[in-house]
Amino acid sequence: MTEREPDMMPEAEVEAETPETQYRASFSLKTKDAAGTGADAAVPAKVTARDVCVFYGKKQALFNVNLDVAQHRVTALIGPSGCGKSTFLRCINRMNDTIDGCRVQGEVRLDGVDVNQKNIDVVQLRSRIGMVFQKPNPFPKSIYENVAYGPRIHGLAANGRELDEIVEQSLRRAGLFDEVHDRLHSPGTSLSGGQQQRLCIARAIAISPELILMDEPCSSLDPIATAKIEELIDELRSRFTIVIVTHNMQQAARVSQYTAFFHLGHLVEFGSTEYIFTNPTEERTQDYITGRFG
Amino acid sequence: MELTILIGALVVLTALAFVYGRRRALIKVGGNRRALHSMPNYHGWFVAIWCGLPAVILLVLWLLLRTTILEGFIEDALGPELANTAAAMKSAMIDDVRALTAGEQIAREPTPLLLEAAERYASLKSTADAAVLVIGLVVAGFGLGLAWRRVGPKLRARNNVEALVRVVLFLCSMVAIITTIGIVLSVLFESMRFFSYVPFWDFLFGVQWSPQMAIRTDQVGSSGAFGIIPLFVGTLYITVIALLIAMPIGLLSAIYMAEYASRRVRDVVKPILEILAGVPTVVYGFFAALTVAPALRDAGASLGLGISSESALAAGVVMGIMIIPFISSLADDAIVAVPRSLREGAYALGATKAETVVNVVIPAALSGIVASFLLAVSRAIGETMIVVMAAGLTANLTANPLDSMTTVTVQIVTLLVGDQEFDSPKTLAAFALGLVLFVATLVLNVVALHVSRKYREQYE
């Protein structure tokens, strides 16, 4: 896992010619970008998923998903409940391993390396990927210890001062430092819901991940806390690649550059956010976006 | 006989009151239920309660007071004979009278006076019971009539019935409290009597425990020393040994079952552990006395250590094994109750399973784990049979776990077993020991409650 071959974006056009009807090659669509800048075509892919199928026991939850996540961009996964968007997200850092009876087929490559390979250590893989969950889940520890936990277990700080710096920087990046700097040692659970979620984001970025996965990070927050987090996502984009699952289509439109629409375990359509929201090719996408079902 | 009739009559009357009360409510509104404030059933209950309850209260009061009242009459009847007899004799004679009335044999030849008293007792009893029967029926009828007249659309029967239900619920919850208070008071008073023989401080800080009292003045070797320290030390010592065994094993097995074991292993192991919790402690006692203690003694002998065949170590080890399931089962529940999202948060950061368990799951489950430890401590302190069988009865004040020791509970048992007078210090000492035990476990429970509440505030 130490060597990272700089596998740039795969030949999208070649992928697009594969027979799967579900597959809308990501970066070929980018040329249809309404802005028409074409600049996105140069963006390398951080994650490439090919023919990903996921089974929970005998039930298949994902069907041949092909999707590329562009580096330093926000990719939103939208779709009705149970459509498999969270399942797909959890394939990337192999969180599905923790679920009994869950089986993943196909390839998920992070920087060109298949994360499901036998010689990949899942602990090392996850140390490169941050994750934020639906409900804020701070550990039963102080605010400081919550953020310091990741750096501690991965030995990222040589001494206490460095650790302090990492914690402060992460809290600043999560936009929480000013609110909690005078009570870093009170329990993380004493914060409000929105603050807890930003604490979880700080915890995730404290391990300097390359990629951050967010699983409906705002679904349990009020509009003001949501706005703060959305603002934060936009700022984080310059340093991290972000994949966000959301139920909220306005949110997807606001924060993401790319949007993938999932339905019943299939990736229906994928393209630039502007394209998906203004001119989708698929009728199902249009129906969902205009609120005809969902 | 009369009272049986009364009970039967009340049952029938109450049932009829319910049926007709309900019907009357409906008739009053011409079958239109909506016109009633309360549903017809509540009217039925209302009438039934007014009919039955006062009469039942009267009956219960009579049953409680009957003996006292009637005995007063007999004492009057036996007056001349009782005038100059001792109190003990008095109650024996009254018992004889009662036995004669019931047609039983008595130990001595009944004197004419006794026979006459018995006759009067019998007639008094039947007259009084008949009176109660009549009064009870009158009360029931009166209550029924009162309630009957009030049934109607405006009657708030539901509120009345619900108020009564609340009173009943309150009384039920009081039963445990009142019983506890009763036990505490009785132990407290007996202990006070004990402390009138043995000074309180000698009891609490004495280092000598040998409760044999001289029954005759010329007996030797029965000093009657009541110093509780050796018992207390023995209890603590054996408890500590038990906890040293049970806490790590219990907690680690809980962690294994909750976090590592596959579902199939868990489905087998957990029920077996819970069966272990159901094994009577006497059986553990056998095991300790017949297997563990001799094994320890032999092992000690081969190492050149003199381990007595009844040792604190053997009792502590077996007691530890006994309380493993309490800890593992409760701690397992606490660990399983930790939300999945916390574990996922740790895994997503790249924490290994062990790191997740130690740094996230255990702290989050701490209140439950601490509670399981404290339950184990109370079990260990209160445990008797294992110690009786494996640790012996000698009150040694020693720090050597290979020696025999005894505990507070064991001494309570030995003090109360066998023939002795009830007001000798030896017997009363059991109550004082019980009081000490009660206070100790009470303190422990308060601490347990406090600790688990404190951590719960932080971690949930």
Side-chain angles (χ1 to χ4, degrees):
Chain A
M1 199 62 207
T2 44
E3 37 116 27
R4 286 173 202 166
E5 30 175 322
D7 184 299
M8 288 291 112
M9 61 164 293
E11 297 304 299
E13 278 76 12
V14 176
E15 300 286 347
E17 282 158 13
T18 54
E20 283 84 31
T21 50
Q22 312 310 328
Y23 180 44
R24 296 281 175 275
S26 47
F27 297 96
S28 63
L29 280 173
K30 258 176 294 168
T31 55
K32 294 187 202 166
D33 194 322
T37 57
D40 279 342
V43 176
K46 187 72 185 170
V47 179
T48 54
R50 291 294 172 268
D51 288 325
V52 175
C53 299
V54 179
F55 301 84
Y56 292 119
K58 286 200 173 121
K59 190 178 161 280
Q60 189 165 4
L62 271 188
F63 300 84
N64 300 83
V65 171
N66 291 282
L67 189 128
D68 290 358
V69 174
Q71 195 155 22
H72 294 306
R73 295 290 183 275
V74 179
T75 304
L77 311 180
I78 61 168
S81 299
C83 67
K85 44 193 197 307
S86 291
T87 304
F88 177 75
L89 192 76
R90 295 165 64 96
C91 287
I92 300 173
N93 65 346
R94 285 181 51 186
M95 283 304 278
N96 286 330
D97 291 11
T98 62
I99 297 171
D100 283 342
C102 181
R103 199 153 48 81
V104 179
Q105 282 175 5
E107 269 182 12
V108 178
R109 289 179 180 272
L110 177 67
D111 287 334
V113 182
D114 188 355
V115 300
N116 290 316
Q117 249 170 31
K118 277 221 174 78
N119 60 353
I120 294 283
D121 181 5
V122 70
V123 166
Q124 268 181 334
L125 171 75
R126 288 178 188 153
S127 73
R128 296 172 55 197
I129 304 176
M131 189 164 188
V132 179
F133 295 84
Q134 197 166 347
K135 260 176 61 188
N137 56 351
F139 297 142
K141 298 171 183 294
S142 69
I143 294 170
Y144 181 93
E145 283 301 323
N146 260 285
V147 182
Y149 184 66
R152 261 192 221 283
I153 58 175
H154 297 303
L156 299 184
N159 52 43
R161 240 197 28 240
E162 260 182 63
L163 192 62
D164 290 350
E165 270 166 32
I166 293 178
V167 170
E168 179 176 341
Q169 197 186 35
S170 307
L171 284 170
R172 275 195 199 286
R173 286 199 181 137
L176 191 62
F177 189 75
D178 293 337
E179 289 163 58
V180 300
H181 67 93
D182 54 348
R183 48 169 173 154
L184 286 176
H185 295 284
S186 52
T189 43
S190 66
L191 298 174
S192 74
Q195 288 175 326
Q196 286 189 18
Q197 194 63 302
R198 277 180 285 149
L199 177 63
C200 292
I201 293 176
R203 185 175 74 189
I205 58 186
I207 54 170
S208 319
E210 300 153 37
L211 176 67
I212 300 178
L213 309 176
M214 298 187 170
D215 191 354
E216 299 183 35
C218 304
S219 65
S220 62
L221 305 182
D222 65 71
I224 292 168
T226 302
K228 276 199 176 150
I229 300 229
E230 286 180 6
E231 215 172 285
L232 179 62
I233 291 171
D234 209 47
E235 282 163 25
L236 293 174
R237 176 160 71 91
S238 59
R239 293 173 186 280
F240 311 101
T241 303
I242 295 173
V243 185
I244 177 172
V245 166
T246 177
H247 260 125
N248 181 334
M249 276 172 294
Q250 283 75 35
Q251 183 171 66
R254 281 194 299 263
V255 301
S256 70
Q257 285 78 53
Y258 296 98
T259 298
F261 171 59
F262 283 76
H263 186 229
L264 299 176
H266 296 278
L267 173 59
V268 176
E269 195 161 10
F270 177 48
S272 77
T273 299
E274 211 174 337
Y275 168 77
I276 293 280
F277 277 91
T278 53
N279 189 24
T281 7
E282 288 280 330
E283 202 181 327
R284 276 182 290 173
T285 316
Q286 187 142 24
D287 287 353
Y288 183 70
I289 284 165
T290 54
R292 234 163 283 168
F293 78 94
Chain B
M1 184 61 205
E2 287 84 355
L3 297 187
T4 321
I5 294 171
L6 179 58
I7 292 169
L10 282 180
V11 168
V12 172
L13 212 57
T14 312
L16 288 176
F18 175 81
V19 172
Y20 284 97
R22 188 178 179 284
R23 188 173 296 173
R24 179 172 159 85
L26 278 174
I27 290 169
K28 276 243 178 165
V29 292
N32 177 13
R33 279 160 193 266
R34 313 224 64 172
L36 285 171
H37 168 270
S38 307
M39 293 295 283
N41 273 351
Y42 283 110
H43 288 272
W45 284 117
F46 178 79
V47 179
I49 287 166
W50 271 98
C51 168
L53 195 60
V56 168
I57 291 173
L58 180 84
L59 179 63
V60 170
L61 280 180
W62 172 239
L63 287 176
L64 288 177
L65 298 176
R66 179 167 71 177
T67 323
T68 328
I69 294 172
L70 290 180
E71 265 172 20
F73 283 114
I74 300 176
E75 269 183 50
D76 287 349
L78 291 174
E81 201 161 319
L82 280 177
N84 38 15
T85 44
M89 216 34 214
K90 220 181 223 175
S91 71
M93 285 177 78
I94 289 169
D95 282 345
D96 283 346
V97 171
R98 206 175 298 140
L100 279 174
T101 320
E104 287 162 17
Q105 293 290 317
I106 60 168
R108 57 203 153 124
E109 197 60 34
T111 62
L113 195 64
L114 263 181
L115 283 174
E116 195 199 313
E119 215 165 278
R120 277 191 60 186
Y121 181 82
S123 77
L124 252 176
K125 196 175 144 203
S126 67
T127 321
D129 281 355
V132 169
L133 167 63
V134 173
I135 296 170
L137 287 177
V138 168
V139 167
F142 193 69
L144 177 67
L146 264 183
W148 184 257
R149 282 180 49 196
R150 289 185 56 195
V151 169
K154 285 221 179 78
L155 173 66
R156 296 178 170 253
R158 175 169 50 78
N159 308 42
N160 278 296
V161 173
E162 278 168 0
L164 184 79
V165 169
R166 267 186 58 178
V167 171
V168 171
L169 294 179
F170 172 76
L171 290 179
C172 287
S173 72
M174 283 298 108
V175 168
I177 293 174
I178 290 169
T179 313
T180 312
I181 292 173
I183 291 174
V184 171
L185 286 182
S186 91
V187 169
L188 198 64
F189 285 128
E190 298 297 330
S191 303
M192 306 268 266
R193 281 177 63 195
F194 171 72
F195 291 129
S196 68
Y197 293 102
V198 178
F200 181 68
W201 299 113
D202 286 2
F203 173 72
L204 212 56
F205 296 112
V207 292
Q208 188 73 34
W209 177 265
S210 70
Q212 285 309 321
M213 295 290 282
I215 294 172
R216 300 186 311 276
T217 39
D218 55 340
Q219 259 179 334
V220 285
S222 304
S223 55
F226 295 95
I228 197 182
I229 296 279
L231 307 186
F232 225 72
V233 170
T235 306
L236 284 181
Y237 212 101
I238 292 175
T239 303
V240 167
I241 294 174
L243 290 178
L244 284 181
I245 293 200
M247 288 203 307
I249 295 180
L251 182 58
L252 293 178
S253 71
I255 291 173
Y256 172 72
M257 279 193 300
E259 295 288 326
Y260 290 92
S262 69
R263 182 170 292 177
R264 267 175 52 208
V265 173
R266 188 184 154 85
D267 284 351
V268 175
V269 174
K270 199 165 185 204
I272 291 180
L273 265 171
E274 270 154 20
I275 290 172
L276 204 59
V279 173
T281 56
V282 177
V283 178
Y284 281 108
F286 282 152
F287 176 60
L290 302 181
T291 314
V292 177
L296 276 175
R297 189 192 51 210
D298 296 347
S302 66
L303 290 171
L305 286 169
I307 303 182
S308 68
S309 54
E310 288 178 329
S311 67
L313 188 62
V317 167
V318 174
M319 199 194 279
I321 291 169
M322 179 199 88
I323 53 184
I324 285 172
F326 294 97
I327 293 183
S328 72
S329 185
L330 279 176
D332 175 74
D333 290 344
I335 291 172
V336 168
V338 172
R340 198 188 154 72
S341 67
L342 274 185
R343 290 190 183 84
E344 292 204 325
Y347 289 143
L349 280 177
T352 62
K353 191 142 199 165
E355 285 165 344
T356 306
V357 169
V358 172
N359 299 329
V360 176
V361 176
I362 300 289
L366 201 61
S367 81
I369 292 170
V370 170
S372 78
F373 285 172
L374 288 164
L375 177 76
V377 174
S378 327
R379 290 285 312 197
I381 289 181
E383 176 49 38
T384 316
M385 285 319 292
I386 294 175
V387 198
V388 171
M389 291 166 137
L393 302 174
T394 2
N396 281 327
L397 183 56
T398 169
N400 178 7
L402 309 178
D403 224 332
S404 81
M405 280 186 191
T406 190
T407 66
V408 176
T409 50
V410 169
Q411 286 307 312
I412 293 178
V413 171
T414 48
L415 288 175
L416 291 180
V417 169
D419 288 341
Q420 52 233 324
E421 344 162 34
F422 205 69
D423 44 5
S424 83
K426 188 187 164 191
T427 318
L428 290 172
F431 289 98
L433 288 179
L435 186 68
V436 168
L437 205 60
F438 175 79
V439 170
T441 43
L442 186 73
V443 169
L444 211 63
N445 281 344
V446 170
V447 170
L449 213 64
H450 181 76
V451 168
S452 68
R453 205 173 273 165
K454 180 167 176 251
Y455 284 107
R456 190 165 303 144
E457 271 168 12
Q458 267 185 4
Y459 293 128
E460 260 172 49

